Amino acid sequence: MTYGEILFRTAISFVALLVLTRLLGKKQVGHLTFFNYVTGITFGSTTAEIIVNRHITLLQGISSLVLWSLLAFLIAWIGLQSVKAREILDGQPTILIKQGMILEKALAKQHLNIDDLSMLLRNKDVFSPEEVEFAILEPDGQLSVLKKEELLPSTKKDIKANITPIQRIPTELVVDGKIVEKNLRKLDVSEVWLDRQLKKAKIDSLDQVFYAELQLDGTLYIDKYQDSIP
């Protein structure tokens, strides 16, 4: 196999992989379930074989990727149509801790030991099962934790504070010294307004700004290229 042929097969495989993963959607990218994870691994290994294995023609390799994508798409469609099929394909959440008590049988069924559980809890900033009302192992292997009510942080509703509905999320206006014009239009703010806000922050040029973001309260968060850290 010549060097040029390897480059050509690499380029074609790259485009095919990009198109197929986009068609499969964000769920595949996120590896939400074991099946999605295996599909991602298969995509990668198949693409590598297409590039370097001279015994596999480009057409055979791309056909294999397309067929695997169609099968994955079919499985996803079946899961959307049937709750029972979705339970079989994706699995179900498993309760590992209930009211501070570890459910050993559920733990063993998921092939987890107490050290695994402790690590998953620490990832959620929980250092003792006693703090937990419910801990649920999700189909993607992540642990969802609900702390006991007395350990939950208070909210504005709890203290009867005034609540202002959120109208938007924090939105980037400048990235790497360049204005994100589509976000200006979306927020209905002008470059003149942005320039005025930068002037208030004693910034004379966009070249000084690495990142700028409009916050929920209408203020502008600005990060300069050369910050002076005391």
Side-chain angles (χ1 to χ4, degrees):
M1 188 182 298
T2 65
Y3 184 68
E5 187 179 356
I6 291 176
L7 292 179
F8 176 73
R9 290 166 73 102
T10 300
I12 296 298
S13 300
F14 175 82
V15 172
L17 192 61
L18 178 63
V19 171
L20 293 173
T21 50
R22 289 289 293 172
L23 290 175
L24 285 175
K26 294 182 179 179
K27 183 176 180 181
Q28 176 59 42
V29 177
H31 289 165
L32 291 185
T33 64
F34 179 73
F35 175 75
N36 297 130
Y37 176 77
V38 171
T39 298
I41 294 295
T42 304
F43 264 37
S45 60
T46 302
T47 304
E49 285 295 316
I50 294 172
I51 295 171
V52 301
N53 193 335
R54 66 176 62 189
H55 300 296
I56 300 175
T57 67
L58 189 58
L59 180 59
Q60 289 172 336
I62 298 300
S63 298
S64 177
L65 283 177
V66 170
L67 177 58
W68 188 273
S69 300
L70 290 174
L71 291 173
F73 187 82
L74 177 62
I75 292 297
W77 181 83
I78 292 173
L80 289 173
Q81 303 303 314
S82 169
V83 175
K84 187 65 176 177
R86 186 159 61 246
E87 291 176 356
I88 295 172
L89 295 170
D90 292 345
Q92 291 181 293
T94 303
I95 298 175
L96 300 182
I97 299 177
K98 183 177 180 180
Q99 296 175 346
M101 304 297 292
I102 298 173
L103 306 181
E104 292 84 1
K105 290 184 179 179
L107 207 62
K109 187 176 179 180
Q110 298 301 318
H111 307 291
L112 295 173
N113 57 45
I114 189 63
D115 293 330
D116 297 326
L117 180 61
S118 296
M119 178 185 67
L120 292 171
L121 288 173
R122 288 194 296 271
N123 287 336
K124 296 294 183 179
D125 296 326
V126 175
F127 290 85
S128 172
E130 189 179 8
E131 303 175 32
V132 179
E133 187 70 28
F134 282 100
I136 302 172
L137 187 67
E138 305 292 355
D140 65 348
Q142 299 294 317
L143 191 70
S144 299
V145 177
L146 175 65
K147 289 186 179 182
K148 291 183 176 179
E149 188 174 356
E150 62 269 21
L151 298 175
L152 291 174
S154 60
T155 64
K156 287 187 175 182
K157 182 178 179 181
D158 295 328
I159 61 175
K160 301 187 185 320
N162 292 328
I163 300 174
T164 303
I166 296 175
Q167 303 295 331
R168 60 174 180 267
I169 61 174
T171 306
E172 55 190 27
L173 299 183
V174 179
V175 176
D176 200 17
K178 296 180 177 60
I179 295 175
V180 185
E181 295 183 2
K182 65 176 183 179
N183 288 346
L184 286 183
R185 292 193 297 269
K186 186 189 303 181
L187 297 172
D188 195 24
V189 296
S190 65
E191 292 188 21
V192 174
W193 176 88
L194 177 60
D195 183 64
R196 190 180 303 125
Q197 299 304 310
L198 294 176
K199 290 288 196 303
K200 287 181 180 179
K202 298 181 179 179
I203 296 175
D204 298 319
S205 171
L206 278 173
D207 295 335
Q208 299 175 249
V209 181
F210 175 68
Y211 183 78
E213 180 182 84
L214 185 64
Q215 301 295 292
L216 294 177
D217 59 2
T219 60
L220 195 65
Y221 165 79
I222 301 171
D223 183 81
K224 296 190 291 186
Y225 272 107
Q226 295 180 345
D227 293 315
S228 56
I229 302 176

